[in-house]
Amino acid sequence: MGGRDQSRTYSRKDSVVFRKTDEPFGGLSNMAGGYPIHVNGVRILTSEALYQVCRFPHLPDVQKLIIAQVSPMTAKMRSKPYRKDSRADWDHVRVRIMRWSLRMKLANNWNTFSALLLKTGERPIVEESRKDDFWGAKVVEDGDTLVGMNVLGRLLMELREQVKQQGRDAALDVAPPDIPQFLLFGRPIEVAAGSPPPPQTADAQEQASLFGAETAVSIEVAAAPTAASVYPSYRPARMRWLPPVPEHWNEQRAKTFFREVDDRSRTGKEELLSVSHLTGVTPRSQKNVTMFKAASYVGSKLCQPGDIVINTLWAWMAALGASRHVGIVSPAYGVYRPHRTDSFNPAYLDYLLRTRAYTAEYIRRSTGIRSSRLRLYPNQFLDIALLQPPRPEQDQIVAYLRAQDAHIARFIKAKRDLIALLTEQKKTIIEGAVTQGLDAATEKRDSGIDWIPRIPEHWETCKLKHVAAFNPSRSESTAFRLSDAPVSFLPMECITTDGKLQSVENRKTSEVWEGYTYFRRNDVVMAKITPCFENGKGGLLDALPTEIGFGTTEFIVLRAAERRIRPAFLAKLLSLRTFRALGADVMTGAAGQQRVPLGFVKNFRIAIPPLDEQGRILDTLQTATEEQDAAIERIRSEIALIREYRDRLIADAVTGQVDLRGWVPGPDDVVAEEELAALGDDDAEPTEEDADGEEN
């Protein structure tokens, strides 16, 4: 695969094409999370990080730096400054290393990754790329044709054939490539034999030696409670994507246990429920989500305790669960009621249905014209086999998992509290520099602004509307509409509280031209609806993948007048705690969906230094907040590790890979319901308008 004469041409409609990790086939990407790999006893979060690590067998410190990153993109970026020091034969061995990395990904994640590979059928697998036609293929003008060497896609097709021909043996005894100096931390990389066990205390000690004591704590907290043994005998599962299951467990299609129901609310006054891929079915009043409230909920679907509720549009990311509440959900959701109330412990089902093996099956059975809009229809869900242990064993599994969830939730809460503290420190540094400058000795004067009494003598004061244009007209981009070119689309959940973009969608201009907020690269956006405004959602769109984009109507767009203010400095001003607090005080609208008035933002008085000083402040802030940024990234990595372990713990318990019948809770295995809320992550949850396919 070394020559440029190996370019291929692919038809999008006839191929499995992936670009983003949140697409149905996004797990094929090296950037996909949720596929950790163990090498020489060291856990590496993604195949991208593993591939980058292999560049530097002679630089163990660089290897450690890469492995410590929670984000695969960050791992890749961390390697860039050292690329000139890559192993001398890198261009000759990189394809062999990538082939081995993919086999390691399969060996360590057999159930989910093999199922995803097999779901591609016989179609060509293609990684779509805007720049790289070696590992991937580029889109040509008609949009349906991709051209490139597509080396990654071809390696994945090669691996798919191995899975088809060899079955589970394809993931056993993965030997490293036959290349010299194939090392991790100075030690030769050894043959990997199948999937690794769940992390234990020894793993924690290994990680501690690499990343510090805090990471060891993150694994040890959850690893302390252990299961006694495996079951005496197992049988193959009816569904091939499940591991062997205890011989005495029942396994039948969902329609044996459940039926679809369509009861509707006549008053709309019942408890309003939310359906999340992280926390299942929970009262919306207990959550902090970016949903809009409807004028009336008459006609919403009713559900009862024990019902399975499925967000039909987001089933592919496991937005479903077993309800423990009487309440109402969107009419677009599926509600399934048990024939017998004693068939399942609802909490057992809640754990089972959100495992990765089941999620892979939802993806396989979902249909739709667009990857992010796949739907799981009732006949497909009811055809999926459900594992049914005897009811006492279900109850024991639930008790065990809830106890472990309590330990994990306490850990996550403590880590989030630490992130909040570091974030507050960072905000204090930013606020001081943006409102007072870098030199404390600079002569000050009265500003005439209530929220910032004194400012440097040479700074000017004005209203935001004097240095920024608001909500620019889309008419300036008519050429994009006429060409129907692809543009970026940003639902609210795609932008973080520090302005970073994640899971940006690409859509045709004609799909979003009407009814959405328009912006260009380097514009600044800010959420206007609570709680997104108060939490600081928004920032500088300097990393927007396309020149123009569209997003939710709950964004306000500001375009800096660059002769007076730098876009990044404008973004810093809009992130200030004082601005957010004052804006929250003047919000209008019904509770839960209040918005900051546009007039408040336009007339908000600010102080700004000259352009060159703005640049110095921005450069200084980047360095001054590096310590907090690095610590926050490290803590997020620890949370990600503990979440991975929780996923494995749940999967092993609900599929009978461990026998929990002899487990007895200890004095610390106390479950407080309010503690478990820390297991959720509201920022990552789909909004109600996305869930129903009616984005605002």
Side-chain angles (χ1 to χ4, degrees), residues 42-174:
V42 176
R43 174 178 293 210
I44 301 175
L45 294 181
T46 61
S47 52
E48 177 65 29
L50 177 59
Y51 173 77
Q52 296 296 339
V53 158
C54 292
R55 284 178 175 271
F56 309 107
H58 54 302
L59 299 174
D61 288 341
V62 176
Q63 291 183 322
K64 292 176 184 179
L65 177 67
I66 294 170
I67 292 174
Q69 309 307 310
V70 63
S71 161
M73 182 56 71
T74 306
K76 183 177 181 178
M77 293 300 103
R78 287 288 190 182
S79 74
K80 276 198 169 184
Y82 306 96
R83 293 282 175 87
K84 64 182 183 301
D85 295 320
S86 298
R87 55 181 301 148
D89 59 352
W90 178 247
D91 287 341
H92 299 288
V93 302
R94 59 177 176 162
V95 173
R96 279 183 279 169
I97 288 174
M98 182 65 79
R99 177 183 284 113
W100 170 79
S101 298
L102 294 175
R103 287 202 67 195
M104 290 292 287
K105 181 175 178 178
L106 177 67
N108 283 257
N109 305 274
W110 168 258
N111 289 336
T112 50
F113 198 52
S114 65
L116 189 61
L117 285 169
L118 293 173
K119 186 176 180 292
T120 64
E122 301 295 329
R123 292 176 291 172
I125 300 174
V126 185
E127 181 181 37
E128 178 182 342
S129 175
R130 294 192 303 273
K131 299 179 180 178
D132 186 355
D133 59 359
F134 176 78
W135 292 113
K138 296 179 182 178
V139 179
V140 297
E141 290 183 1
D142 64 1
D144 186 60
T145 304
L146 299 98
V147 178
M149 293 182 66
N150 189 37
V151 174
L152 179 63
R154 290 156 67 184
L155 290 174
L156 287 166
M157 288 185 274
E158 175 186 285
L159 189 61
R160 179 179 65 190
E161 291 308 305
Q162 292 177 353
V163 171
K164 288 179 179 179
Q165 295 174 18
Q166 302 173 29
R168 188 67 178 84
D169 290 346
L172 298 178
D173 299 330
V174 180

Side-chain angles (χ1 to χ4, degrees), residues 676-692:
L676 299 181
L679 296 172
D681 183 358
D682 292 330
D683 283 345
E685 293 184 15
T687 61
E688 190 75 8
E689 63 271 20
D690 281 335
D692 295 341

Side-chain angles (χ1 to χ4, degrees), residues 188-407:
I189 293 176
E190 301 169 351
V191 173
S195 299
Q200 299 295 326
T201 303
D203 286 331
Q205 294 170 348
E206 177 73 26
Q207 298 285 352
S209 68
L210 300 178
F211 311 128
E214 282 190 314
T215 305
V217 174
S218 72
I219 298 175
E220 209 164 355
V221 168
T226 57
S229 63
V230 297
Y231 283 91
S233 58
Y234 288 80
R235 61 170 176 80
R238 287 177 54 189
M239 301 299 278
R240 62 178 183 172
W241 35 264
L242 288 175
V245 297
E247 195 165 25
H248 64 288
W249 284 21
N250 188 21
E251 183 185 5
Q252 298 188 61
R253 287 184 291 181
K255 67 181 181 181
T256 305
F257 306 110
F258 291 88
R259 69 187 189 280
E260 186 186 14
V261 294
D262 190 8
D263 298 340
R264 301 297 179 114
S265 172
R266 296 184 178 182
T267 65
K269 297 185 182 302
E270 293 85 356
E271 177 90 56
L272 191 58
L273 303 177
S274 171
V275 183
S276 161
H277 65 295
L278 288 173
T279 54
V281 184
T282 50
R284 192 186 293 189
S285 60
Q286 298 178 7
K287 307 182 76 60
N288 183 24
V289 291
T290 59
M291 299 178 183
F292 297 90
K293 290 190 175 180
S296 171
Y297 292 101
V298 173
S300 295
K301 284 188 178 179
L302 288 165
C303 69
Q304 299 176 359
D307 289 354
I308 295 174
V309 183
I310 300 179
N311 180 334
T312 306
L313 191 60
W314 288 76
W316 60 271
M317 63 180 294
L320 50 84
S323 178
R324 292 184 293 137
H325 311 274
V326 175
I328 52 176
V329 296
S330 166
Y333 292 177
V335 179
Y336 304 87
R337 187 155 295 156
H339 297 303
R340 292 179 46 184
T341 57
D342 60 348
S343 298
F344 283 98
N345 181 322
Y348 167 79
L349 267 180
D350 207 57
Y351 283 119
L352 177 72
L353 292 173
R354 293 207 303 279
T355 57
R356 289 177 181 168
Y358 272 84
T359 302
E361 185 66 7
Y362 307 147
I363 295 172
R364 189 178 75 82
R365 292 174 178 268
S366 294
T367 56
I369 60 173
R370 201 147 47 100
S371 60
S372 61
R373 288 295 177 265
L374 292 177
R375 287 169 168 80
L376 179 66
Y377 289 107
N379 61 322
Q380 291 296 331
F381 170 70
L382 291 171
D383 194 53
I384 297 174
L386 301 179
L387 290 178
Q388 186 193 38
R391 183 57 187 263
E393 291 183 44
Q394 293 182 40
D395 297 342
Q396 182 77 341
I397 290 170
V398 169
Y400 173 79
L401 290 177
R402 281 175 62 80
Q404 310 322 310
D405 273 351
H407 290 289

Side-chain angles (χ1 to χ4, degrees), residues 561-566 608-618:
E562 296 195 30
R563 291 185 178 180
R564 298 192 65 189
I565 190 169
R566 294 176 181 265
I608 54 174
L611 281 172
D612 58 344
E613 189 174 349
Q614 292 178 34
R616 292 195 298 273
I617 290 172
L618 291 169

